[in-house]
């Protein structure tokens, strides 16, 4: 296990081409950012992705970001990675005052650059060893935005699991995408709604992977927050274990699907 010098993320390196990343799992803020933040801890937690690091626990290689997306959002383009006004943040007023001090923004963007540099080193090594990789980009999303007493948002537009594939070559990577989606539905039951590109199509990490790595496939996976109460922040540990087990059950078939794609193209 390695940790960023300032503790902003941890990386557990293992064998094989399967990597899990939890970009928005963190809640921490460095002191200078915390002093500027007007949003409450509960408001921030509602837009963060608690427990998503646990979903990828069975992956040999795991990256867990411990800093909040409200410090720097690693899944947005660099120019939008430090939030501005409430239009960037679902109506939440994040800061006591804008503009932010330039030094604070610069240090947050320095973390952004360091993260992507470390991801490049990690994935370069995986490609050199294994020829390619599947990266599970693990997130969660709210579906009760009307309030704690409001009915859930329309399930037709909010699947239990949304797999974002907007930036990958869908036909080429079909064995990987279909294997993951079918495996999750099989493991979690027929009543679990697993669909593609309904709510989200994937963010900056997925785009970066697909631009940089011809043999890298990133699935941007959003779990609807049925595994927790998005307003209180209370997590259902049993639901997290079920999701983690289901993700783990897909891994052997995902590696076989990756080998199929790479082998087909190199043969």
């Amino acid at each position: 296990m390695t940790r960023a010098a300032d503790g902003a993320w941890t990386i557990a390196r293992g064998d094989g081409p399967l990597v899990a990343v939890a970009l928005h799992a963190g809640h921490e803020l460095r002191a200078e950012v915390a002093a500027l933040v007007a949003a409450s801890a509960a408001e921030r937690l509602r837009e963060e992705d608690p427990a998503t690091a646990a979903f990828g626990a069975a992956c040999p290689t795991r990256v867990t970001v411990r800093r909040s997306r409200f410090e720097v959002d690693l899944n947005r383009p660099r120019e939008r990675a430090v939030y501005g006004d409430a239009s960037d943040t679902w109506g939440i007023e994040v800061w006591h005052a804008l503009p932010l001090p330039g030094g604070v923004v610069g240090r947050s963007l320095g973390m952004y650059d360091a993260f992507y540099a470390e991801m490049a080193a990690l994935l370069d090594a995986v490609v050199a060893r294994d020829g390619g990789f599947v990266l599970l980009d693990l997130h969660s999303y709210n579906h009760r935005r009307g309030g704690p007493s409001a009915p859930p948002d329309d399930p037709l537009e909010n699947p239990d699991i949304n797999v974002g594939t907007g930036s990958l070559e869908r036909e080429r990577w079909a064995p990987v995408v279909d294997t993951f989606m079918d495996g999750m539905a099989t493991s979690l039951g027929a009543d679990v709604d697993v669909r593609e590109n309904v709510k989200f199509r994937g963010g900056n990490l997925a785009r970066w992977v697909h631009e940089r790595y011809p043999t890298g496939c990133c699935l941007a996976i959003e779990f609807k927050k049925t595994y927790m109460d998005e307003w209180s922040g209370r997590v259902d540990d049993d639901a997290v274990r079920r999701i983690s087990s289901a993700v783990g059950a897909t891994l052997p078939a995902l590696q076989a699907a990756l080998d199929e794609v790479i082998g087909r193209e190199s043969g």
Side-chain angles (χ1 to χ4, degrees), residues 125-173:
V126 174
V127 170
R129 183 187 65 208
D130 299 300
F133 61 86
V134 175
L135 190 152
L136 304 181
D137 178 20
L138 301 167
H139 298 269
S140 62
Y141 77 96
N142 295 326
H143 69 118
R144 305 185 71 100
R145 287 200 173 274
S149 301
D153 297 339
D154 184 356
L156 291 177
E157 299 177 2
N158 295 269
D160 297 312
I161 303 173
N162 181 102
V163 180
T165 60
S167 63
L168 62 74
E169 297 177 58
R170 180 59 174 85
E171 184 176 356
R172 178 186 177 214
W173 290 107

Side-chain angles (χ1 to χ4, degrees), residues 124-221:
D124 287 355
V126 174
V127 170
R129 183 187 65 208
D130 299 300
F133 61 86
V134 175
L135 190 152
L136 304 181
D137 178 20
L138 301 167
H139 298 269
S140 62
Y141 77 96
N142 295 326
H143 69 118
R144 305 185 71 100
R145 287 200 173 274
S149 301
D153 297 339
D154 184 356
L156 291 177
E157 299 177 2
N158 295 269
D160 297 312
I161 303 173
N162 181 102
V163 180
T165 60
S167 63
L168 62 74
E169 297 177 58
R170 180 59 174 85
E171 184 176 356
R172 178 186 177 214
W173 290 107
V176 173
V177 179
D178 295 342
T179 291
F180 180 79
M181 294 179 66
D182 293 346
M184 292 301 291
T186 298
S187 292
L188 292 173
D191 59 338
V192 173
D193 181 12
V194 184
R195 283 182 283 158
E196 188 176 350
N197 297 329
V198 176
K199 191 74 176 177
F200 304 96
R201 295 178 60 83
N204 190 74
L205 178 64
R207 286 189 294 272
W208 177 84
V209 165
H210 296 139
E211 289 170 1
R212 182 180 173 93
Y213 296 100
T215 57
C217 177
C218 178
L219 303 181
I221 306 158

Side-chain angles (χ1 to χ4, degrees), residues 15 17-18 37 43-44 51 54 64 66 85 126 129 139 149 192 201 211 229 243:
D15 295 330
L18 305 178
V37 167
E43 286 177 310
R44 292 192 291 108
T64 302
R66 301 192 177 278
D85 61 25
V126 174
R129 183 187 65 208
H139 298 269
S149 301
V192 173
R201 295 178 60 83
E211 289 170 1
D229 184 321
I243 293 171

